[in-house]
Amino acid sequence: MKSTYIFNYYSQMSVTSLFTSVLKSEQILGSDSLSHRYHHIWHMDQPLKALCVLLPETTQQVSEIMKICYAQELPIVVHGGLTNLVGSTETKGDEVVVSTERLNKIEEIDIASRTMTVQAGVILENIHNAATEESLLFPLNFGAKGSAQIGGIISTNAGGLRVLKYGMTRQLVLGLEAVTAEGTIISSMKKIIKDNSAYDLKQLFIGSEGTLGIITRAILKLEEAPRSRNAAYIAFNEYDHVVKFLKYMDSNLAGKMSGFELIWKNSYQQMTSVSDAVKPPLPYDYNYYVLVEALGSDQIKDQNEFQEILENALENDLILDAVMAQSPSDIEWFFRIREDVNNLVDFMKHDQHFDISLPIPLIGSYIKERYKKLALINGVEQVYAFGHVADGNIHFMIGKENLSIQLKKEIDHCIYGGLKDIGGSVSAEHGIGTHKKDYLELCRTTEEISLMRSLKTLMDPKDLLNPGKIF
């Protein structure tokens, strides 16, 4: 009732006039000028539905916006790079959209403390480039790096290709600034790694998907840039051998292994069959393909070591086949295969995505069973699996013939059905948003969800921040 009332009330007056005292005219986009806006980069053909879009340029402006929205009981949806996959940026039309795109400054790179201070709208790839210029590394990496903004990345606790070595986003944030629902600025912008002075409040905002506050600035933890990078594709027919090889490589590389990606045969075939840019490094003769990456300090020494480890694996029948990158361009080619999921999506009539987490030893049998069950569902046309097997995270992409709710739920139940019994999760790194909230109870206890709801009520008593997301 509240949302309907607000929509009807503000459709009769200009909601934009509420914000003219705190924003310039060009920072306020009314509902009549949103035809070029959208809620996701995959849905650019669908005009954004919202009361208005606001483009703050400072944390103080975000605070003033929130005070106004709180007083007027206006729901807010936060927009960043619009690359999420769980509906976190979807709108109904009765919300104020706060976009962080103008909070796009890299404020400081501190070489001595190995930190970078950034505003929420900075694109991940720009963070990578700025760190590289100082011979440093921000290790978080995934396919949408050219669009994803750091505020959204932090608010969803994104993962990616190097979680094995460097951890999730949570492990890479030292300081944080956020604005609460009533407009209070919570700032803990510290460059220190150790700070056990009571509650670590920034953790409330990391992974909360914009439901507890709007992230405006952050201090990121950087690493010394590696001086060597090696990669290889490895072939297997048995999943158990993949697990044994993971332990073997991690042990022999002594901390240098930074990535261990697993691709199922049919996924590998599709990923490498669309153009010469992604031609297959290995033939289509095997059931599993692993992409291994190692970062180090001496290219020649590390390359020789990497090659020797692979040769020993072949000699001891740990692996069936392998091809090692011989140049930086080879490495880019190898990772392009894994990262460009459009090579799967572009050939689907309609697509449905999954991002599950489960114990590493059970991955092989669980995914095999899902392939079998999905093949029996009328309307499922394609099934592709791949993922970050070293941290138990597997992605599914399902091609289907229609967008019916019944088909969607049937596929959901198939993928999620056995996770609760084995201690898995319906979301390894994408969050819950609107698309997965019906399945939250499969991976969180009643007591956990109750405490989450209590936190939401405490920090957002009017339920204005990303309403309808997560719960």
Side-chain angles (χ1 to χ4, degrees):
M1 291 295 294
K2 180 180 71 174
S3 295
T4 302
Y5 169 76
I6 290 172
F7 181 76
N8 289 337
Y9 175 70
Y10 282 110
S11 63
Q12 298 172 29
M13 62 170 285
S14 175
V15 67
T16 59
S17 64
L18 295 170
F19 303 100
T20 54
S21 62
V22 297
L23 299 175
K24 301 172 187 175
S25 59
E26 64 267 22
Q27 293 176 270
I28 306 172
L29 305 178
S31 59
D32 57 348
S33 60
L34 301 184
S35 60
H36 66 292
R37 290 268 168 174
Y38 40 85
H39 74 269
H40 194 280
I41 60 172
W42 287 355
H43 299 286
M44 294 182 181
D45 59 330
Q46 301 175 18
L48 177 65
K49 296 177 181 179
L51 293 174
C52 64
V53 173
L54 305 180
L55 307 171
E57 296 176 354
T58 66
T59 299
Q60 189 60 46
Q61 286 184 344
V62 175
S63 173
E64 296 303 319
I65 289 169
M66 295 307 299
K67 289 176 183 178
I68 293 170
C69 289
Y70 193 79
Q72 300 295 326
E73 297 193 10
L74 286 167
I76 302 104
V77 173
V78 187
H79 277 192
L82 304 178
T83 62
N84 79 94
L85 292 171
V86 293
S88 297
T89 52
E90 291 178 358
T91 59
K92 297 178 180 178
D94 61 349
E95 306 99 335
V96 170
V97 170
V98 176
S99 173
T100 58
E101 63 197 70
R102 293 196 180 185
L103 292 164
N104 58 7
K105 295 181 178 61
I106 296 176
E107 297 181 354
E108 180 195 44
I109 300 178
D110 186 334
I111 299 174
S113 66
R114 291 186 292 191
T115 61
M116 184 185 298
T117 304
V118 297
Q119 296 178 346
V122 179
I123 292 172
L124 179 58
E125 192 166 38
N126 294 339
I127 292 173
H128 288 168
N129 294 339
T132 299
E133 289 179 5
E134 302 296 340
S135 298
L136 294 168
L137 171 74
F138 184 61
L140 186 70
N141 192 26
F142 46 78
K145 59 182 177 288
S147 302
Q149 295 177 11
I150 193 64
I153 290 168
I154 295 171
S155 69
T156 56
N157 188 32
L161 300 168
R162 291 175 175 165
V163 172
L164 167 67
K165 183 174 177 66
Y166 298 105
M168 300 281 281
T169 299
R170 190 181 302 279
Q171 280 74 48
L172 301 171
V173 177
L174 297 180
L176 199 68
E177 183 175 85
V179 179
T180 66
E182 72 275 14
T184 301
I185 299 172
I186 304 296
S187 186
S188 181
M189 295 289 284
K190 297 179 180 179
K191 298 179 181 179
I192 56 178
I193 294 174
K194 292 183 175 181
D195 184 5
N196 269 348
S197 52
Y199 304 142
D200 189 358
L201 294 178
K202 69 176 180 292
Q203 299 298 341
L204 288 175
F205 301 103
I206 300 174
S208 67
E209 301 182 49
T211 63
L212 301 181
I214 300 177
I215 293 169
T216 54
R217 297 166 68 225
I219 296 176
L220 307 177
K221 180 175 180 286
L222 305 179
E223 303 284 345
E224 293 297 325
R227 293 192 291 272
S228 75
R229 186 185 182 196
N230 289 287
Y233 269 101
I234 321 295
F236 304 86
N237 276 333
E238 303 295 332
Y239 177 75
D240 288 348
H241 294 175
V242 173
V243 178
K244 290 177 182 177
F245 184 68
L246 168 60
K247 182 175 178 59
Y248 167 82
M249 288 298 287
D250 206 7
S251 174
N252 282 277
L253 285 170
K256 295 176 185 175
M257 189 165 71
S258 51
F260 194 93
E261 300 290 306
L262 177 60
I263 306 174
W264 272 252
K265 180 178 182 177
N266 73 314
S267 305
Y268 177 80
Q269 287 178 311
Q270 178 60 32
M271 288 172 163
T272 59
S273 63
V274 297
S275 73
D276 288 341
V278 288
K279 62 184 184 296
L282 289 172
Y284 303 138
D285 298 332
Y286 311 102
N287 293 329
Y288 303 99
Y289 296 82
V290 167
L291 172 59
V292 181
E293 179 192 53
L295 303 177
S297 60
D298 185 318
Q299 182 61 41
I300 295 176
K301 179 182 177 181
D302 293 336
Q303 186 170 352
N304 289 336
E305 178 190 46
F306 195 81
Q307 182 172 330
E308 183 179 347
I309 291 171
L310 292 180
E311 289 173 350
N312 288 337
L314 275 168
E315 291 171 1
N316 290 283
D317 297 324
L318 290 177
I319 62 179
L320 298 177
D321 201 354
V323 59
M324 183 173 165
Q326 299 300 314
S327 66
S329 62
D330 280 354
I331 295 176
E332 294 303 316
W333 158 37
F334 283 10
F335 274 85
R336 193 181 304 119
I337 292 169
R338 167 61 183 84
E339 291 179 342
D340 194 354
V341 298
N342 287 328
N343 291 332
L344 303 176
V345 176
D346 288 348
F347 294 89
M348 295 177 177
K349 187 175 182 181
H350 301 288
D351 52 283
Q352 194 168 331
H353 298 244
F354 294 89
D355 161 45
I356 63 174
S357 189
L358 61 161
I360 292 173
L362 304 181
I363 289 174
S365 58
Y366 192 89
I367 303 307
K368 185 177 181 179
E369 187 66 21
R370 298 317 110 177
Y371 264 92
K372 289 180 180 179
K373 290 185 176 182
L374 287 165
L376 299 176
I377 297 177
N378 186 31
V380 171
E381 296 177 330
Q382 298 128 313
V383 179
Y384 298 117
F386 56 91
H388 323 293
V389 71
D391 50 59
N393 176 196
I394 301 300
H395 299 283
F396 266 107
M397 287 192 177
I398 313 297
K400 55 187 183 179
E401 65 180 22
N402 63 67
L403 294 172
S404 74
I405 298 299
Q406 180 181 350
L407 178 57
K408 178 189 180 300
K409 288 187 175 181
E410 194 171 357
I411 295 171
D412 283 344
H413 292 158
C414 177
I415 299 295
Y416 298 144
L419 290 176
K420 186 174 184 178
D421 291 339
I422 62 174
S425 173
V426 299
S427 182
E429 57 183 4
H430 290 167
I432 297 298
T434 59
H435 298 174
K436 296 185 180 183
K437 61 183 181 179
D438 290 343
Y439 303 99
L440 182 59
E441 62 182 16
L442 295 179
C443 51
R444 294 292 191 178
T445 65
T446 301
E447 293 78 14
E448 285 179 304
I449 295 174
S450 177
L451 181 56
M452 290 180 194
R453 289 182 180 275
S454 296
L455 283 170
K456 171 67 172 173
T457 301
L458 175 67
M459 297 184 68
D460 184 14
K462 296 183 180 181
D463 192 24
L464 300 179
L465 280 166
N466 267 11
K469 310 303 194 296
I470 301 181
F471 308 110

